[in-house]
Amino acid sequence: MPEIPESSPATTAFEAEYAIESPLSCPHCKATISTLQVLRLVRTRVNFISMLPRRGYVVVCSSCHQILSADLGGFARVV
Ligand SMILES: [Zn+2]
């Protein structure tokens, strides 16, 4: 895992950035955005009987970094 410098909390360490086919309005900050950032989710704690996947990802607004969507290997999805 890359270390996130504590001196720059405003910077989000995203894993990938995707261009949107045409600019859209973010439901959180209302900014018109043309890219989305994707961050990986890595499971750190789990119940012994949990069937949840080890990994997933979240899609965030490139402007305000609010979560727009999250996915756990197709198991659970939040929009
Ligand atoms: Zn936003």
Side-chain angles (χ1 to χ4, degrees), residues 19 21-22 39 42:
E21 199 169 29
S22 62
L39 293 85
V42 179

Side-chain angles (χ1 to χ4, degrees), residues 20-60:
I20 308 171
E21 199 169 29
S22 62
L24 295 173
S25 175
C26 169
H28 299 290
C29 68
K30 311 300 181 199
T32 300
I33 52 173
S34 55
T35 57
L36 292 173
Q37 295 175 350
V38 177
L39 293 85
R40 212 186 326 197
L41 291 176
V42 179
R43 190 173 67 186
T44 55
R45 286 202 291 175
V46 66
N47 190 313
F48 179 67
I49 57 167
S50 176
M51 299 289 284
L52 290 170
R54 288 168 178 256
R55 294 175 184 278
Y57 63 87
V58 293
V59 178
V60 303

